[in-house]
Amino acid sequence: MPKQERWTVLKSLLILEWIALLIGLAMPITPSKTGGDFSFADWFFEDPTYLQEVLVYFVMTNLLMGVLALVVLLMIQWDKRRKRSDG
């Protein structure tokens, strides 16, 4: 992998992690503003603190992005195989 491409991938991953962190920081606040009291952190911690909720939402966001990346990767591989078999 060329150095320039590696840097682009690294920057992309850092941007995605920053987005995941921002989502993790925002999600614990959002339900209280809308009147909801459900939290995924309740599944892992008894009476979770704000930082524990941020941790849970950060990990969940990363897992979701990982699943989406896997789907995109599989679609790209499937498209390459389809083009090879057609041409």
Side-chain angles (χ1 to χ4, degrees):
M1 187 180 290
K3 187 175 183 178
Q4 182 66 18
E5 185 178 335
R6 209 174 319 128
W7 177 247
T8 304
V9 171
L10 179 62
K11 284 196 305 191
S12 300
L13 288 174
L14 289 174
I15 290 170
L16 284 174
E17 288 302 312
W18 179 249
I19 291 170
L21 180 62
L22 291 176
I23 290 171
L25 289 169
M27 288 301 290
I29 298 169
T30 307
S32 65
K33 296 279 185 185
T34 60
D37 61 352
F38 174 76
S39 172
F40 285 107
D42 290 332
W43 292 354
F44 304 103
F45 302 103
E46 186 174 324
D47 195 27
T49 64
Y50 175 75
L51 289 179
Q52 289 170 332
E53 289 187 19
V54 168
L55 174 67
V56 169
Y57 284 114
F58 177 72
V59 170
M60 286 179 56
T61 303
N62 274 304
L63 289 173
L64 180 62
M65 285 193 287
V67 168
L68 291 174
L70 182 64
V71 168
V72 168
L73 182 65
L74 291 174
M75 289 175 62
I76 290 171
Q77 293 297 324
W78 179 74
D79 191 48
K80 283 181 182 179
R81 287 184 183 176
R82 188 178 54 85
K83 285 182 180 179
R84 265 189 273 151
S85 66
D86 289 346

